Amino acid sequence: MDPRNDPNLKPPIDEARRRLAKAGLAAPAVLGVLASRPVLGAAPHHCTPSGYISAGFASPPPGGATPCSTLGFGPSHYAAGPSTWPDGNVANSYFINANNRPRLFKNAPQKLGRFHGVTVRFADAYQRRRSSDNTLQDATVWDVLAAEPINANTGSSLTGWVLEPKSGFNPDLTLGAEAVAAVMNAIALAPNFPITPQQAVEMFNKVVTTGGLYQVTSTNQWNADEVKEYWRSLHA
């Protein structure tokens, strides 16, 4: 029997969840991998942001509750390239532009409309810098996923370039990588993922600015580290 389905199994206390609560504040390659995800019908409440807080001082509910870490994939999965993304290599889609290239981060994702009165796009937070002469370019989605500039032709690191935050934005590059993975998970795995892509973009945009906070509930706010920790709890 798969231990995740054993009703007598009592998972250990989730320390990441405890820390957050205490803060108080489809391409073929994709389809093949998605087939291994738990079939839930709906995301478990204890993995939603509010559920994550309310269950923060105890283990997930007994009786075979789905561990949140089985729900999604981390940045390293999607950093393998567009064939792993929700839209695969389809031109003019969420993360691929009309020229069949990875979109600039600031122009992604597309096709998600508006949320709370704002067009759903990532904040323009990252750029590439060429070390030899300080030439600057806007970062792509793939750059941010990999936390380093990527040659879109080869999928390898772009020699001589570094990825960096733009002025006024959080310097932690893994925050952006987790944000893109969260949005991709939310698109690819709906309705079995506990946040929508619109929510994930909003969470990132609220905390990527220096000192920014995301309002989780009427009485709880998360900073950038706490939002990132929550996203990490949703994948192995």
Side-chain angles (χ1 to χ4, degrees):
M1 175 184 290
D2 186 335
R4 292 174 296 180
N5 298 323
D6 185 353
N8 296 314
L9 182 65
K10 294 182 179 180
I13 292 175
D14 187 331
E15 292 299 333
R17 181 194 300 276
R18 183 192 295 277
R19 287 195 297 273
L20 280 182
K22 284 183 177 180
L25 306 172
V30 178
L31 296 176
V33 180
L34 295 187
S36 67
R37 296 290 89 183
V39 179
L40 305 175
H45 174 72
H46 66 275
C47 299
T48 65
S50 60
Y52 198 88
I53 289 175
S54 63
F57 293 98
S59 299
T66 301
C68 300
S69 61
T70 67
L71 298 182
F73 303 100
S76 62
H77 170 79
Y78 293 115
S83 65
T84 66
W85 300 357
D87 41 14
N89 288 307
V90 178
N92 201 26
S93 51
Y94 298 109
F95 302 102
I96 303 293
N97 66 22
N99 296 319
N100 208 32
R101 308 284 286 182
R103 291 191 186 277
L104 295 179
F105 183 73
K106 68 180 183 180
N107 293 338
Q110 295 281 328
K111 302 182 180 297
L112 291 180
R114 297 173 67 82
F115 187 62
H116 292 163
V118 178
T119 300
V120 179
R121 297 282 188 282
F122 289 121
D124 185 12
Y126 304 109
Q127 62 192 11
R128 297 168 164 183
R129 181 186 296 273
R130 187 160 58 195
S131 303
S132 62
D133 59 5
N134 289 327
T135 294
L136 298 177
Q137 295 179 352
D138 288 321
T140 70
V141 169
W142 203 350
D143 296 339
V144 177
L145 266 173
E148 63 175 350
I150 295 295
N151 183 326
N153 294 319
T154 64
S156 59
S157 300
L158 193 60
T159 303
W161 292 77
V162 296
L163 184 68
E164 62 185 22
K166 294 186 176 182
S167 178
F169 291 98
N170 190 296
D172 182 2
L173 298 179
T174 62
L175 175 67
E178 290 289 342
V180 178
V183 174
M184 290 186 173
N185 282 330
I187 293 170
L189 304 174
N192 298 335
F193 201 68
I195 55 175
T196 67
Q198 291 88 346
Q199 283 178 287
V201 171
E202 182 180 64
M203 293 170 80
F204 172 77
N205 289 349
K206 292 290 186 181
V207 301
V208 71
T209 54
T210 303
L213 295 170
Y214 174 70
Q215 195 76 37
V216 188
T217 68
S218 60
T219 57
N220 294 85
Q221 293 179 317
W222 285 345
N223 61 26
D225 288 340
E226 291 158 349
V227 165
K228 184 177 72 173
E229 194 167 22
Y230 168 69
W231 285 333
R232 283 181 167 170
S233 77
L234 302 179
H235 63 78

